Amino acid sequence: MEISKELADAINDQINFELYSAYIYLSMAAWLEENNLPGMAHWMEVQFDEEYSHAIRFYRHVIERGGRVIFKAIDAPQTEWESALDVFETAYEHEKVVTARIYKIGEIADSEGDKGAQGMLQWFYNEQVEEEVNTSTIRDNLKRAGDSKQILFMLDRELGARPAAPAPPAESMT
Ligand code: MG
């Protein structure tokens, strides 16, 4: 079954948004490097790779389903934050927006009874639960750290140990 135009358009927008997300996280990584938090910067670089792989997953789905991928300009990301806490608060709020967007795509797939797209989206529903947990947990830890430079240093070391993101799939996971 070929993908519908409406669903392909929505996924095209999401490819753009995943790349925009990647751009935001790399911008956060640069800010964290600038502010002597190399471990958190590393965590954000891994996040950048993950968002890139999400874009590829959506891209593969549209291609394999006989749709057209059309790229648009990617918005400029935010470049300034008040603190590491502000960075991770922003990341958490951003992931909630991503989840809502993916649910909207799911509503289209559901209304069309497009099981191929539903299967592909199921992976993303699970992934978004993880993204929200990860960013909100770090946000909570930073809140608890308060002004303690020692705890901030420890958190930075811990986040610096995040393993590299798996490579984007060579073929669709649907
Ligand atoms: Mg993503």
Side-chain angles (χ1 to χ4, degrees), residues 2-170:
E2 212 164 84
I3 195 166
S4 75
K5 171 87 168 56
E6 189 188 2
L7 192 51
D9 286 350
I11 296 177
N12 268 307
D13 281 346
Q14 192 58 27
I15 294 170
N16 182 282
F17 206 76
E18 297 291 341
L19 292 171
Y20 172 56
S21 303
Y23 217 14
I24 290 173
Y25 292 133
L26 196 58
S27 184
M28 288 176 171
W31 186 91
L32 290 161
E33 292 279 5
E34 182 76 28
N35 287 276
N36 299 314
L37 293 163
M40 292 183 196
H42 165 81
W43 194 96
M44 282 298 175
E45 268 191 62
V46 175
Q47 195 64 22
F48 165 81
D49 289 339
E50 271 206 5
E51 299 309 334
Y52 163 72
S53 79
H54 296 165
I56 296 289
R57 260 176 211 268
F58 282 122
Y59 169 88
R60 295 288 341 151
H61 187 80
V62 174
I63 301 275
E64 286 170 9
R65 299 287 310 284
R68 271 206 75 192
V69 169
I70 308 282
F71 290 136
K72 295 174 193 156
I74 298 165
D75 288 344
Q78 185 175 342
T79 55
E80 299 294 338
W81 290 270
E82 303 265 314
S83 60
L85 173 59
D86 185 25
V87 167
F88 281 90
E89 185 74 61
T90 306
Y92 175 53
E93 291 303 320
H94 183 76
E95 286 304 328
K96 287 198 284 188
V97 171
V98 174
T99 303
R101 290 180 63 104
I102 292 173
Y103 284 3
K104 282 246 180 278
I105 299 169
E107 283 169 24
I108 300 170
D110 292 348
S111 74
E112 294 179 355
D114 185 331
K115 297 198 186 302
Q118 285 169 329
M120 182 269 301
L121 289 165
Q122 188 60 54
W123 183 89
F124 277 100
Y125 300 147
N126 297 337
E127 176 69 9
Q128 282 312 116
V129 171
E130 209 180 288
E131 298 282 41
E132 290 187 23
V133 168
N134 288 344
T135 48
S136 65
T137 301
I138 298 167
R139 186 267 324 260
D140 292 345
N141 287 340
L142 283 166
K143 253 188 202 166
R144 237 173 274 136
D147 291 332
S148 167
K149 291 247 183 282
Q150 203 180 346
I151 296 175
L152 192 68
F153 178 76
M154 278 169 51
L155 279 174
D156 189 62
R157 279 241 303 238
E158 190 186 307
L159 293 172
R162 183 179 185 182

